[in-house]
Amino acid sequence: MKRTALAFLLLSLSRLVAQAEIKPVVHYNFGKAGNVTYAATPAVLHPAVGRGELRSAGQPVFYADAPADRKLKGEGSILFDGRQDGYRQEQALGTADGNRVLEIWVKAAGPDTLARQTVVSHGTAANGYAVVRHEGQWRLLCAGQETEIGAVIPGHWTHLAVAIDQGKGTLWYDGRKSGEFLPSASLAPNFSVAVSESGTEAFRGSIYEIRYSAFADGAFRPEADLLLYGTRTAGRPTGDSVFRSALLEQLEAPGYGKSVVRSLPDEHPTDDWLIRPVRQQSRLYVQRPDQGGNVRFRLSNGLVSRTFYLGDNLACISYRNLSDGAEYLRAVKPEARIRIDSIWYDIGGLTGQPELSYLLEEWLPQMKTSPRAFSLEGIETGAPEPRYPWTPQFHAAPADWPPKGLRLTMTFTPTGAVPEASGLRVRVHYEIYDGIPVIAKWIEVENGRKRAVLLRDMECEVLAVNQDQVSRLHVESDYSFALVNADLRGSALMHYAGTPKAYHVGGSTTRWIPDPDYNTWASHNQAEDKFLGFPHHNLLVSKLPMGPCTRIAPDSAFRSYVTFELLHDSDDRERQSLAHRRMYRKLAPQVTESLIAAGITSHDSIRLTALIDQMDSLGFEQLDIQAWPGVSHDNLDSAYVRHWRGIAAYAASKGIVIGGYELQIASRGRGDSVDCVHPETGRPGSLFGQSVCVASRWQDDYFPKMWEFFDRTGFRTYNMDGPYHGDPCASTAHPHHDGLEDSQWRQWSAQVAVLRELRRRGVYIPIPDWYFLNGQNATGMGYREASANLPPQQQLLLGRQYIYDGTWHKLPTMGWMTLQLVGFYTDDPRVGLEPLCENLERYEAQLFQYLASGCHLTVRGNRLYDTPQTREMVQRHLDWFRKYRDILTSEIIHVSRPTGRDLDCMMHVNPFIRHKGMVIVFNPTGRKIEKTLRLPLYYTGLQRKVRVSGADGKTVVHPLNDRQELSLPVGIEAGGHAWFLLEE
């Protein structure tokens, strides 16, 4: 428990330090949450920031009391008895030179005894500074002089500060200047707490924290830099009457998707959005305030709502799933945070919430803006904008693009308390979409200054989430690729020993961490922490693993990645994953494109045209020139281009699109001058052995040639292996990034630009990473390269396991599978199916199961049939697939994972089309199996009964039970399969 409390403390201090202009030298915080009153304090106290061990005298104890809201958050302090309790070290904190400020949170106990009591002594009263209690006053002793700071109020927490700025000393009492003094020229070797340097003049009372900080000339701003915890405001608050009136006028003015109402609507959907369309449009409801009241406005689509409060600043106060009425927010946080150079700034938000485990409406009027927070300046609405160009093609399911919904943009500017940030503007964008409980969010940072600024870091979303809703909030962003999607547990590609660096692995942009400000009284013991899934990890922060560390030029803007938040109304795994897949269907509709492909490794014109002729006769739609040798997209040799232009034109005349494999980036070096430089060696090298840096001059050479190759050949697919995968680069010589910290951001940005241009060109994009929210079509259904060398029977069952596992979070069309007619890395005859006519049953079994899955299937070989019998078999199954393509490419409900010892089953569902479901049953055993399957038909949208028809052409109406389950009797021959269509 103490370790947990210390983690909370250190996180809290680091966050406070990050927001301050001043730089702490040493920071002692004695408010260790969770300690028992009158428990003995450690013999040695270590600072949370800086160096300097304090050793105890006497026996100080912890006490459950702290200043203002610190106490309400469960923090405490150290209680000194006034006889001999104290802490001391025999050295000063630095020298007497420079600009410094010493802060103390202190509370005196009992009546004034008139005797002098030392609170803190830095040096001595003669050679240094001592803050004391004496004759009813807090006083400063310095260089033989005694100066009053302010009155001692027993039992009252007081903030005292002693500052020196350019040789001038000032005293501060609860954030107000109370006096001046002449600084000491030297510091004696002493720093003591609650006792003098000699161990006498002991203090009776409590001390919460002591901070000693440095700052640049003229940079000390007490109202912003002192540890007053947001109790004072500065600059132009949103509550300013003139400015507030302008905001209200802007809010109430007519706008896209906006409704001005007397009260915010109480909404609750009556239909399940997963099985019935939701007709309600996305709206921004603006509640007109009563006289003198504060404004609320709500972004809602009838499934999810996000409510904002306009007080001293703008704050999100509610985030609700309207399907089950669940409230996701327990506390107010900033809309976003940015770090310019070394300084963090909050974007919006309010401070002063007394308890962060829940939020009461009556607290809101008393909550204030942080003086360093950017303040709301304006609000506007509009329609969602397409994140990339897309025109439906390749049998894509019908979809609106961009998706219908509403965009809300809120603009924030710095207040007068942060003049160093003047000229900056931050826009926070939200999009909410009709018919799905998803909200997207991103930020833009605009630089209106005359010089570039460095955006070192950013937090694009900060949400204090109720503990019981953490597992019901799915958050991901379009900043996605191999390494950033890995985590400390590793992946199929790599496993990590110890704690990897940020550039090794990021765990995505989504982070669930302990809230540094969250010290709830609703605590539990250590065992419950584990059993309850560590519920104190309930602060959601969306940020890059590293960077962006990007310079924003004058009169330019930086746009962040996009965070997508999907609210679940159940802990059921199938329901949550189905909602995730529906999110991709709506927000990345190109993933529904479907092509039946053939692959070949040859460049020979005769073999290629012969295969194209077979493809045409069967109705195949895509030709993939596979490894090895694949295709070199930067090879503009006239003969090479002429060859592929002829093949592509011939394929196009048959209605077939063509593309070719290339190992483009991951694990492919292109030369020391352009390859990634390893951060730890300083030499070319990467986590993947060697990879080119996409932000090197390589992109200036390769991509223009690639675009010319596409233009001249007519290729329509981008079959690249290893687009940007995540390697960092420590080079400082590459023209498109400055160094290590911006290398991942710059390389990802370059890859996204390529994908968006491909989308503009109408190119089909199967790549092995996770760029779906930026235009990708498909990735591997699963990945184990050596599985291509397994015998067909082994590939059969493993293939269905790939499909079962791979479709939890992918539509079938988002995952590719390959049917190997010939060996890939081997000539072993046990691997391939040639001659095809002699392996017809094995060919048919694999072809049927992949078509039945709806996956992106590539049949790899030199030919697709060798006899009329083989051709008839392939044609029959392809015709069946095309007839039922709409349901076969729809989402899979996971009935049973293949075990090899019993029937296994795929079940496609789509309540929004005529074919509501398709059940495919496989018997992997050597015996006939007859049994009754219980199938969950809820997500087909069918109720009470279902029409079931099979390959025999017979139709039977079956009743459904009250859980919409179907009891379906089946009999499957050994090694056989059967399919059943489900309709109303």
Side-chain angles (χ1 to χ4, degrees):
M1 183 175 291
K2 290 184 178 180
R3 283 198 296 269
T4 300
L6 182 59
F8 276 127
L9 173 62
L10 293 176
L11 279 167
S12 180
L13 289 175
S14 66
R15 201 172 181 96
L16 286 169
V17 167
Q19 296 183 64
E21 176 72 13
I22 60 178
K23 306 297 187 295
V25 177
V26 179
H27 191 158
Y28 299 98
N29 187 294
F30 308 130
K32 296 186 177 182
N35 282 284
V36 180
T37 293
Y38 298 125
T41 60
V44 177
L45 280 179
H46 300 276
V49 176
R51 297 181 178 179
E53 295 180 348
L54 295 177
R55 298 187 177 274
S56 66
Q59 190 58 69
V61 296
F62 288 108
Y63 193 71
D65 190 17
D69 62 339
R70 307 291 109 174
K71 178 179 179 179
L72 294 177
K73 293 177 180 178
E75 299 192 25
S77 57
I78 292 184
L79 178 64
F80 300 93
D81 66 4
R83 294 190 296 272
Q84 60 177 353
D85 292 351
Y87 278 92
R88 183 170 181 263
Q89 65 174 3
E90 294 182 351
Q91 60 183 15
L93 305 178
T95 67
D97 301 328
N99 301 324
R100 297 289 187 269
V101 58
L102 174 68
E103 301 178 68
I104 311 154
W105 270 104
V106 60
K107 184 176 77 170
D112 197 341
T113 62
L114 301 181
R116 194 160 73 187
Q117 300 178 19
T118 299
V119 179
V120 173
S121 181
H122 187 201
T124 65
N127 294 293
Y129 310 87
V131 176
V132 302
R133 175 188 183 183
H134 189 206
E135 296 180 342
Q137 292 282 323
W138 301 113
R139 301 172 184 264
L140 174 70
L141 307 182
C142 175
Q145 299 179 354
E146 187 168 327
T147 308
E148 292 183 358
I149 304 175
V152 173
I153 305 175
H156 175 75
W157 281 103
T158 305
H159 181 274
L160 307 176
V162 179
I164 302 171
D165 189 353
Q166 301 175 79
K168 180 180 179 180
T170 54
L171 301 172
W172 301 83
Y173 181 90
D174 280 343
R176 297 184 299 274
K177 183 179 176 182
S178 62
E180 298 181 353
F181 67 96
L182 183 64
S184 174
S186 61
L187 287 173
N190 172 70
F191 185 81
S192 54
V193 178
V195 290
S196 67
E197 73 278 3
S198 61
T200 59
E201 300 179 354
F203 172 67
R204 184 182 176 206
S206 302
I207 299 177
Y208 170 69
E209 71 181 327
I210 299 169
R211 186 173 75 163
Y212 184 65
S213 307
F215 54 88
D217 288 352
F220 176 53
R221 287 181 296 283
E223 72 282 357
D225 293 333
L226 294 179
L227 292 175
L228 300 172
Y229 304 113
T231 58
R232 297 171 64 87
T233 61
R236 184 205 65 215
T238 304
D240 175 83
S241 59
V242 175
F243 188 67
R244 182 183 179 82
S245 296
L247 273 175
L248 291 178
E249 184 177 340
Q250 188 179 113
L251 266 172
E252 294 187 1
Y256 185 93
K258 187 188 296 186
S259 298
V260 179
V261 296
R262 283 296 180 186
S263 60
L264 297 176
D266 183 16
E267 301 172 284
H268 183 77
T270 57
D271 289 327
D272 184 349
W273 70 276
L274 287 171
I275 61 173
R276 293 181 184 86
V278 177
R279 305 298 182 187
Q280 181 170 331
Q281 295 181 337
S282 301
R283 304 294 296 174
L284 179 69
Y285 296 104
V286 179
Q287 182 181 16
R288 180 178 285 116
D290 297 330
Q291 188 67 29
N294 288 303
V295 180
R296 286 172 171 79
F297 55 94
R298 176 176 296 168
L299 197 58
S300 174
N301 64 359
L303 293 173
V304 59
S305 70
R306 193 153 179 166
T307 305
F308 301 88
Y309 172 85
L310 187 56
D312 268 9
N313 206 338
L314 186 283
C316 180
I317 60 169
S318 177
Y319 199 0
R320 295 179 70 86
N321 188 332
L322 302 178
S323 294
D324 61 1
E327 174 60 66
Y328 280 66
L329 289 193
R330 58 175 173 79
V332 169
K333 292 292 180 180
E335 281 297 292
R337 301 177 72 235
I338 61 172
R339 182 156 66 117
I340 302 296
D341 295 320
S342 61
I343 308 301
W344 278 101
Y345 300 97
D346 287 353
I347 310 304
L350 295 170
T351 63
Q353 182 176 333
E355 164 70 55
L356 270 68
S357 61
Y358 58 89
L359 175 62
L360 299 182
E361 290 281 327
E362 53 263 35
W363 291 343
L364 295 173
Q366 282 73 51
M367 294 171 65
K368 304 297 181 182
T369 183
S370 166
R372 300 189 61 79
F374 281 38
S375 175
L376 182 67
E377 181 184 75
I379 295 175
E380 62 183 77
T381 59
E385 298 175 350
R387 297 189 311 280
Y388 46 81
W390 178 67
T391 301
Q393 58 181 354
F394 305 140
H395 312 285
D400 295 312
W401 190 251
K404 293 180 179 179
L406 182 65
R407 175 175 46 83
L408 170 67
T409 298
M410 299 185 289
T411 302
F412 295 82
T413 53
T415 68
V418 283
E420 74 280 2
S422 64
L424 298 180
R425 175 177 281 119
V426 176
R427 299 189 190 276
V428 177
H429 300 274
Y430 287 96
E431 279 187 351
I432 188 169
Y433 308 101
D434 295 354
I436 187 169
V438 173
I439 291 181
K441 185 177 183 181
W442 69 98
I443 68 171
E444 287 182 285
V445 182
E446 298 178 357
N447 180 16
R449 309 174 73 171
K450 294 182 178 179
R451 62 175 181 83
V453 298
L454 178 64
L455 177 62
R456 187 173 293 277
D457 206 347
M458 59 187 175
E459 295 176 358
C460 297
E461 177 69 295
V462 186
L463 286 178
V465 179
N466 279 313
Q467 294 181 354
D468 64 330
Q469 299 303 318
V470 169
S471 65
R472 294 189 176 188
L473 180 58
H474 171 81
V475 183
E476 68 176 290
S477 78
D478 65 343
Y479 188 78
S480 178
F481 43 84
L483 289 188
V484 81
N485 291 343
D487 61 23
L488 297 181
R489 293 173 296 178
S491 70
L493 296 178
M494 62 200 71
H495 296 272
Y496 300 97
T499 303
K501 301 287 196 304
Y503 51 77
H504 286 153
V505 55
S508 86
T509 54
T510 303
R511 303 195 181 178
W512 289 100
I513 62 175
D515 187 342
D517 301 320
Y518 178 62
N519 293 292
T520 179
W521 294 98
S523 189
H524 27 75
N525 64 39
Q526 289 145 311
E528 287 172 316
D529 267 353
K530 179 176 178 62
F531 299 152
L532 297 176
F534 298 99
H536 54 276
H537 289 209
N538 59 4
L539 182 69
L540 168 70
V541 177
S542 179
K543 71 186 300 292
L544 296 175
M546 179 174 66
C549 204
T550 295
R551 296 193 181 278
I552 308 174
D555 298 319
S556 298
F558 170 92
R559 179 185 170 108
S560 75
Y561 58 91
V562 182
T563 300
F564 298 87
E565 298 166 10
L566 167 64
L567 276 60
H568 294 299
D569 56 12
S570 167
D571 293 322
D572 179 73
R573 183 187 184 191
E574 188 75 65
R575 186 171 180 84
Q576 288 196 355
S577 73
L578 181 59
H580 189 197
R581 288 172 277 167
R582 291 281 170 79
M583 183 186 89
Y584 281 120
R585 180 184 283 270
K586 180 175 283 285
L587 303 185
Q590 79 284 344
V591 302
T592 66
E593 293 178 357
S594 169
L595 289 169
I596 306 170
I600 189 171
T601 59
S602 176
H603 283 195
D604 181 76
S605 297
I606 296 176
R607 296 178 69 183
L608 287 170
T609 54
L611 180 60
I612 291 171
D613 288 339
Q614 284 200 349
M615 293 173 64
D616 177 45
S617 71
L618 293 167
F620 275 72
E621 300 154 344
Q622 176 193 350
L623 174 61
D624 185 19
I625 311 303
Q626 297 191 323
W628 302 97
V631 173
S632 299
H633 292 77
D634 58 343
N635 184 350
L636 297 180
D637 176 79
S638 58
Y640 190 76
V641 171
R642 185 168 54 253
H643 169 74
W644 287 119
R645 182 170 61 244
I647 298 298
Y650 187 69
S653 71
K654 310 288 187 178
I656 296 169
V657 295
I658 181 176
Y661 171 95
E662 182 176 3
L663 179 57
Q664 189 179 60
I665 296 170
S667 72
R668 180 173 182 180
R670 304 276 186 157
D672 287 356
S673 65
V674 295
D675 285 350
C676 288
V677 172
H678 199 287
E680 294 169 10
T681 67
R683 298 190 299 272
S686 75
L687 299 174
F688 277 77
Q690 186 52 278
S691 296
V692 65
C693 174
V694 191
S696 70
R697 60 177 172 80
W698 172 82
Q699 71 164 258
D700 302 322
D701 179 63
Y702 178 86
F703 288 123
K705 290 180 179 178
M706 184 186 80
W707 297 130
E708 184 176 349
F709 185 87
F710 274 102
D711 289 337
R712 292 172 62 182
T713 60
F715 272 30
R716 290 284 306 283
T717 69
Y718 177 82
N719 299 56
M720 296 298 178
D721 188 358
Y724 179 61
H725 50 287
D727 263 329
C729 179
S731 172
T732 57
H734 292 167
H736 301 293
H737 74 103
D738 294 331
L740 173 63
E741 289 188 342
D742 69 332
S743 61
Q744 284 186 321
W745 173 262
R746 293 294 191 181
Q747 293 186 76
W748 173 83
S749 298
Q751 182 66 62
V752 167
V754 169
L755 294 176
R756 292 179 178 178
E757 173 61 16
L758 289 165
R759 286 264 60 95
R760 187 190 68 80
R761 292 166 174 256
V763 174
Y764 183 80
I765 309 173
I767 56 177
D769 278 288
W770 201 272
Y771 284 89
F772 292 109
L773 291 166
N774 274 305
Q776 173 184 358
N777 285 95
T779 188
M781 186 64 79
Y783 182 79
R784 188 69 185 274
E785 199 164 293
S787 66
N789 293 331
L790 297 175
Q793 286 303 109
Q794 195 170 356
Q795 289 189 33
L796 198 64
L797 192 66
L798 289 173
R800 294 205 298 276
Q801 289 185 335
Y802 268 138
I803 293 162
Y804 181 93
D805 296 337
T807 53
W808 279 105
H809 294 277
K810 294 196 294 285
L811 296 169
T813 48
M814 294 167 68
W816 70 60
M817 298 290 289
T818 303
L819 198 171
Q820 306 281 353
L821 299 182
V822 296
F824 192 28
Y825 297 109
T826 177
D827 293 326
D828 189 330
R830 293 173 299 174
V831 173
L833 295 175
E834 287 283 2
L836 303 177
C837 60
E838 296 179 10
N839 294 280
L840 198 58
E841 289 186 2
R842 293 193 297 170
Y843 187 3
E844 180 176 15
Q846 289 198 62
L847 179 64
F848 176 78
Q849 81 170 27
Y850 293 139
L851 291 173
S853 76
C855 72
H856 177 68
L857 170 63
T858 299
V859 181
R860 182 179 181 276
N862 298 312
R863 55 185 177 175
L864 300 172
Y865 56 85
D866 54 0
T867 66
Q869 184 183 15
T870 305
R871 184 190 182 286
E872 185 280 328
M873 181 276 295
V874 176
Q875 187 72 68
R876 173 164 38 89
H877 288 298
L878 287 175
D879 289 346
W880 173 80
F881 172 79
R882 281 189 286 267
K883 181 177 181 180
Y884 298 115
R885 187 177 215 148
D886 59 348
I887 186 61
L888 291 171
T889 55
S890 294
E891 291 84 335
I892 286 178
I893 298 299
H894 298 79
V895 177
S896 57
R897 191 176 192 272
T899 64
R901 292 182 287 180
D902 200 352
L903 301 181
D904 60 85
C905 172
M906 300 175 191
M907 186 171 74
H908 297 273
V909 299
N910 192 332
F912 308 112
I913 61 176
R914 180 170 66 90
H915 300 140
K916 304 298 182 184
M918 176 72 81
V919 177
I920 306 100
V921 185
F922 299 90
N923 182 0
T925 73
R927 69 186 190 282
K928 181 178 181 179
I929 298 179
E930 294 183 341
K931 65 187 302 184
T932 297
L933 300 177
R934 178 173 291 183
L935 301 172
L937 299 198
Y938 176 81
Y939 293 113
T940 65
L942 296 168
Q943 295 182 324
R944 293 186 293 276
K945 62 183 180 179
V946 56
R947 288 196 311 128
V948 180
S949 52
D952 58 5
K954 297 179 181 179
T955 297
V956 180
V957 177
H958 291 269
L960 303 180
N961 64 19
D962 57 3
R963 299 178 60 186
Q964 283 75 57
E965 292 175 329
L966 165 66
S967 295
L968 180 67
V970 297
I972 312 296
E973 297 294 336
H977 58 257
W979 58 268
F980 305 91
L981 179 67
L982 310 179
E983 296 177 291
E984 285 185 302

